[in-house]
Amino acid sequence: MTEAVPTAAQRPCVTVIGEALIDMVQLDATGDYRAQPGGSPFNVAVGLTRLGHRTALMARLADNTFGRMLRGHATAEGVGLSSAPAAAEPTTLAVVSMDADGRASYDFYLDGTADWQWTEAETSLVPPDTAVLHFGSLAAWTSPGDRHIHGLAQRLHAEGGTLISYDPNVRPALLGDPERGRRMVERSVTIAHVVKASREDVEWLYPNEPAEKIAARWLELGALLVVITDGPDGALAFHTGAGHVRRPGRKVTVVDTVGAGDAFTAGLLGALTRHGLHHPRALAVADQGALGTVVDDAILVSALTCERLGADPPAAMPRPGLPAQTPLRATDLTFAEGTGQAGTGGSPRPLERSPIKP
């Protein structure tokens, strides 16, 4: 019997809260930059929507050129903005530079900008049918608004019906020192069910500590699932009951790594939702097989994003007749026509070839 495909209104709502900023991305000529929508939470929301999930973005969007650019791009992607407050403050800017290996570094211009001025009244606008709340990155530890984001996640966690996801997305230049970073991150881990971090994140936060020991600490603090990404080497997942799994990376031709971590998060949350693991009780009893498939899907989404310029994650193709839990293949994903830049628009097309080697 063919499995019924849920309509958009029937799909669980994934709400993402945090910054939506403008990335000024370095081009080939010295001094040439292109303005692109960005910010880790913004990228995660776009990634989830492209993968077919009903997604709401809670971001403070300015009424200026850049704010309208962010709002227009999110709307064009199908991201819900009914809970995104209008902000009087200007848009945050991040100047992105690339090294020879396509790794990105960031200089932020964030004093007095919109993303950090959250109020309790604004965070109370969270969609009431939120099944998954994802938070993290700069807004989770930048005052004065961080306490209101923390308060929202803490309240939903205590109510017990919403899966809380957290990505620290460490920026050493903004956090200051590892000791302060650990305090801020562990504060958020205590109210999260899913924690995703990169190896670079954990190495800065906990120098000389093995990933296994760090994950064990985060599980003790209350997380149910900890996933640590390791670039081309894949990812490690640690579960409170099912132990740990290591999944290999995918070989790709890297253009840059902008948005790769956010694409992984979107792929991870999307896969958890497709597998019915978007409730704390369901995730608590997940087995290794399901977790391995979930992480594989996230690795695939992230790897494909690395072959594109900028934060430009893939979109999911319809898979009629296949159970939602069927693992993703490269041929199940599409990219928009155009230059490969996020926000360039165009209709999605199937991949003409699989850039992923099995």
Side-chain angles (χ1 to χ4, degrees):
M1 183 176 178
T2 301
E3 183 173 290
V5 178
T7 65
Q10 293 172 325
R11 296 186 181 109
C13 177
V14 183
T15 298
V16 183
I17 186 169
E19 67 268 18
L21 50 80
I22 292 294
D23 286 334
M24 304 298 294
V25 180
Q26 174 186 318
L27 302 179
D28 291 337
T30 302
D32 284 352
Y33 292 84
R34 177 181 284 113
Q36 293 181 191
S40 176
F42 186 93
N43 292 340
V44 171
V46 169
L48 281 161
T49 303
R50 289 188 182 183
L51 291 172
H53 300 280
R54 185 161 63 97
T55 309
L57 175 65
M58 297 182 69
R60 303 185 82 254
L61 302 177
D63 185 19
N64 60 13
T65 298
F66 287 146
R68 289 188 290 272
M69 179 179 176
L70 288 161
R71 188 176 292 275
H73 182 69
T75 300
E77 293 283 355
V79 176
L81 294 179
S82 61
S83 298
E89 302 83 8
T91 304
T92 306
L93 300 181
V95 178
V96 188
S97 301
M98 305 291 175
D99 65 16
D101 296 321
R103 290 189 294 265
S105 60
Y106 300 84
D107 293 313
F108 291 96
Y109 296 83
L110 46 69
D111 287 346
T113 54
D115 296 291
W116 334 117
Q117 315 306 322
W118 288 93
T119 66
E120 185 176 353
E122 289 172 342
T123 56
S124 71
L125 298 174
V126 60
D129 61 343
T130 295
V132 179
L133 178 76
H134 175 71
F135 77 110
S137 195
L138 282 64
W141 36 262
T142 301
S143 64
D146 59 330
R147 65 188 180 93
H148 296 297
I149 293 176
H150 182 85
L152 169 63
Q154 187 175 43
R155 174 174 66 82
L156 294 181
H157 186 278
E159 290 173 358
T162 303
L163 188 75
I164 310 298
S165 165
Y166 170 64
D167 176 5
N169 194 33
V170 167
R171 295 289 180 255
L174 300 179
L175 276 170
D177 63 79
E179 182 178 356
R180 176 177 183 266
R182 286 192 296 274
R183 289 198 307 271
M184 302 301 288
V185 169
E186 291 185 358
R187 177 187 69 164
S188 294
V189 170
T190 63
I191 55 170
H193 303 107
V194 178
V195 181
K196 171 261 172 187
S198 69
R199 182 168 291 276
E200 291 82 4
D201 290 340
V202 298
E203 286 179 347
W204 185 80
L205 288 167
Y206 303 90
N208 303 315
E209 293 283 355
E212 293 78 4
K213 184 174 180 180
I214 298 163
R217 173 163 178 77
W218 288 354
L219 292 174
E220 289 173 0
L221 288 173
L224 300 176
L225 175 65
V226 173
V227 182
I228 298 176
T229 62
D230 198 12
D233 294 325
L236 283 162
F238 303 85
H239 186 265
T240 186
H244 71 275
V245 295
R246 177 185 289 273
R247 304 306 300 161
R250 302 262 188 168
K251 293 182 179 179
V252 294
T253 301
V254 175
V255 173
D256 67 40
T257 60
V258 174
D262 302 330
F264 185 98
T265 299
L268 180 70
L269 296 179
L272 287 171
T273 301
R274 291 199 339 270
H275 280 259
L277 301 176
H278 55 281
H279 191 283
R281 289 195 299 271
L283 182 59
V285 296
D287 59 35
Q288 277 200 0
L291 294 174
T293 300
V294 163
V295 175
D296 282 342
D297 282 3
I299 290 170
L300 174 59
V301 173
S302 178
L304 286 172
T305 303
C306 290
E307 291 217 332
R308 308 285 285 183
L309 186 62
D312 188 19
M317 295 279 285
R319 301 193 297 172
L322 286 179
Q325 298 88 344
T326 303
L328 288 177
R329 301 168 300 173
T331 51
D332 294 325
L333 302 170
T334 75
F335 284 109
E337 295 280 6
T339 62
Q341 292 288 338
T344 56
S347 300
R349 61 177 172 82
L351 292 170
E352 295 175 355
R353 61 181 179 85
S354 171
I356 303 297
K357 298 178 182 178

mmCIF file of all heavy atoms in Angstrom, residues 34 38 98 148 159 213 226 246:
data_model
loop_
_atom_site.group_PDB
_atom_site.id
_atom_site.type_symbol
_atom_site.label_atom_id
_atom_site.label_comp_id
_atom_site.label_asym_id
_atom_site.label_seq_id
_atom_site.Cartn_x
_atom_site.Cartn_y
_atom_site.Cartn_z
ATOM 1 N N ARG A 34 29.961 40.484 -2.151
ATOM 2 C CA ARG A 34 28.552 40.361 -2.508
ATOM 3 C C ARG A 34 27.742 40.213 -1.231
ATOM 4 O O ARG A 34 28.084 39.407 -0.364
ATOM 5 C CB ARG A 34 28.319 39.163 -3.426
ATOM 6 C CG ARG A 34 26.837 38.947 -3.761
ATOM 7 C CD ARG A 34 26.609 37.746 -4.650
ATOM 8 N NE ARG A 34 26.988 38.019 -6.022
ATOM 9 C CZ ARG A 34 28.001 37.440 -6.659
ATOM 10 N NH1 ARG A 34 28.743 36.551 -6.024
ATOM 11 N NH2 ARG A 34 28.277 37.732 -7.905
ATOM 12 N N GLY A 38 22.150 35.704 5.428
ATOM 13 C CA GLY A 38 22.913 34.720 6.192
ATOM 14 C C GLY A 38 22.558 34.751 7.667
ATOM 15 O O GLY A 38 21.531 35.277 8.087
ATOM 16 N N MET A 98 37.664 33.875 2.800
ATOM 17 C CA MET A 98 37.969 32.464 2.551
ATOM 18 C C MET A 98 39.477 32.240 2.516
ATOM 19 O O MET A 98 40.223 33.071 2.004
ATOM 20 C CB MET A 98 37.394 32.015 1.194
ATOM 21 C CG MET A 98 35.930 32.261 1.030
ATOM 22 S SD MET A 98 34.978 31.185 2.114
ATOM 23 C CE MET A 98 33.346 31.862 1.779
ATOM 24 N N HIS A 148 16.170 36.085 26.946
ATOM 25 C CA HIS A 148 14.788 35.841 26.526
ATOM 26 C C HIS A 148 14.700 34.605 25.632
ATOM 27 O O HIS A 148 13.731 33.837 25.720
ATOM 28 C CB HIS A 148 14.233 37.068 25.819
ATOM 29 C CG HIS A 148 14.135 38.269 26.705
ATOM 30 N ND1 HIS A 148 13.330 38.309 27.821
ATOM 31 C CD2 HIS A 148 14.781 39.467 26.656
ATOM 32 C CE1 HIS A 148 13.460 39.484 28.418
ATOM 33 N NE2 HIS A 148 14.333 40.211 27.735
ATOM 34 N N GLU A 159 7.864 22.090 29.576
ATOM 35 C CA GLU A 159 6.525 21.619 29.238
ATOM 36 C C GLU A 159 6.553 20.208 28.664
ATOM 37 O O GLU A 159 5.560 19.477 28.751
ATOM 38 C CB GLU A 159 5.872 22.593 28.256
ATOM 39 C CG GLU A 159 5.516 23.931 28.906
ATOM 40 C CD GLU A 159 5.012 24.963 27.905
ATOM 41 O OE1 GLU A 159 4.977 24.643 26.684
ATOM 42 O OE2 GLU A 159 4.663 26.078 28.328
ATOM 43 N N LYS A 213 34.525 12.316 25.642
ATOM 44 C CA LYS A 213 34.381 12.839 27.003
ATOM 45 C C LYS A 213 33.481 14.072 27.010
ATOM 46 O O LYS A 213 32.651 14.253 27.921
ATOM 47 C CB LYS A 213 35.752 13.183 27.580
ATOM 48 C CG LYS A 213 35.722 13.636 29.029
ATOM 49 C CD LYS A 213 37.117 13.826 29.591
ATOM 50 C CE LYS A 213 37.072 14.278 31.046
ATOM 51 N NZ LYS A 213 38.445 14.459 31.597
ATOM 52 N N VAL A 226 23.846 13.928 21.115
ATOM 53 C CA VAL A 226 24.928 14.867 20.821
ATOM 54 C C VAL A 226 25.582 14.427 19.517
ATOM 55 O O VAL A 226 25.971 13.264 19.379
ATOM 56 C CB VAL A 226 25.983 14.898 21.952
ATOM 57 C CG1 VAL A 226 27.184 15.764 21.549
ATOM 58 C CG2 VAL A 226 25.358 15.400 23.248
ATOM 59 N N ARG A 246 29.549 6.217 14.542
ATOM 60 C CA ARG A 246 30.399 7.059 13.695
ATOM 61 C C ARG A 246 29.988 6.833 12.247
ATOM 62 O O ARG A 246 29.904 5.693 11.799
ATOM 63 C CB ARG A 246 31.884 6.712 13.863
ATOM 64 C CG ARG A 246 32.791 7.517 12.930
ATOM 65 C CD ARG A 246 34.240 7.065 13.018
ATOM 66 N NE ARG A 246 34.831 7.447 14.287
ATOM 67 C CZ ARG A 246 35.406 8.636 14.494
ATOM 68 N NH1 ARG A 246 35.431 9.536 13.530
ATOM 69 N NH2 ARG A 246 35.927 8.903 15.668
#
